[in-house]
Amino acid sequence: MTNTQMKQNDSKKGTPLFPAYTCGPLQDKPEKRSLLVEVVAMKRKIKNEEGSATIEFLGMVPLVFSVMMIAWQFIAGFHGLMIAESAASEAAKVYSVTADVGEATNAAQNIVDAGGSYISFAGAPISGSNNFTASVSVNIDFVFLPASMFAGGKPTFSYTADTSGKVIK
């Protein structure tokens, strides 16, 4: 079959573009001809971009969720730091007026307890008598790490906020 005949056959509807076993010198070697047909078909499939947006979307979803979870953990951690600073300030204010360590510790614990379930009060030592330093220690949970994955419970990080003041007499 000549090239002209192949073009005429290709123009007919329903006829394959590359009929198998019909190309001059390759007619004697059908396995090479079928390899050529497969290579051409593979090139067509590679150039076809149908479904590529779906694959790109599915590839980006885990990345977006991971970034969102990390950002949320930073927000929760920063909020925990602000709660600890606020509790230390409140403990210092109460101690400067009352000079009572127990009342100052209760005030700090009330502030931390109101902060949320992921932050826990770890203590509020006050050192000094007239000039003092109030410290508030908190444990901040890692929000997205389940406690069942860890033997000691949910992992946390500790933070201690310090402030100083003077007792008002």
Side-chain angles (χ1 to χ4, degrees):
M1 184 182 262
T2 65
N3 284 341
T4 310
Q5 290 173 335
M6 284 179 63
K7 286 181 184 176
Q8 288 173 351
N9 282 343
D10 289 342
S11 64
K12 295 178 186 174
K13 193 169 187 162
T15 305
L17 184 61
F18 294 103
Y21 311 113
T22 59
C23 191
L26 294 177
Q27 207 167 11
D28 298 335
K29 301 175 185 174
E31 64 279 349
K32 287 189 179 180
R33 176 63 186 152
S34 63
L35 180 62
L36 178 65
V37 171
E38 287 185 30
V39 168
V40 171
M42 187 65 89
K43 284 184 180 179
R44 285 185 182 162
K45 287 182 181 179
I46 290 173
K47 289 181 181 179
N48 184 1
E49 292 188 12
E50 288 182 26
S52 64
T54 303
I55 299 299
E56 291 171 5
F57 174 75
L58 292 175
M60 291 300 293
V61 167
L63 177 68
V64 169
F65 280 135
S66 298
V67 168
M68 286 174 44
M69 286 177 22
I70 290 168
W72 187 256
Q73 182 61 56
F74 276 116
I75 291 168
F78 184 74
H79 182 254
L81 299 180
M82 292 295 100
I83 294 291
E85 293 289 340
S86 177
S89 178
E90 185 67 21
K93 282 192 270 184
V94 169
Y95 187 77
S96 69
V97 173
T98 65
D100 183 14
V101 175
E103 196 172 333
T105 301
N106 285 339
Q109 186 169 4
N110 289 339
I111 297 291
V112 172
D113 290 344
S117 63
Y118 65 92
I119 183 171
S120 59
F121 184 74
I126 296 177
S127 59
S129 57
N130 196 19
N131 291 328
F132 64 91
T133 300
S135 299
V136 173
S137 298
V138 295
N139 293 324
I140 303 168
D141 294 341
F142 286 100
V143 178
F144 291 105
L145 297 178
S148 61
M149 287 180 59
F150 302 95
K154 193 171 232 184
T156 63
F157 66 94
S158 299
Y159 179 74
T160 301
D162 298 321
T163 189
S164 58
K166 185 174 182 177
V167 174
I168 301 171
K169 290 185 179 184

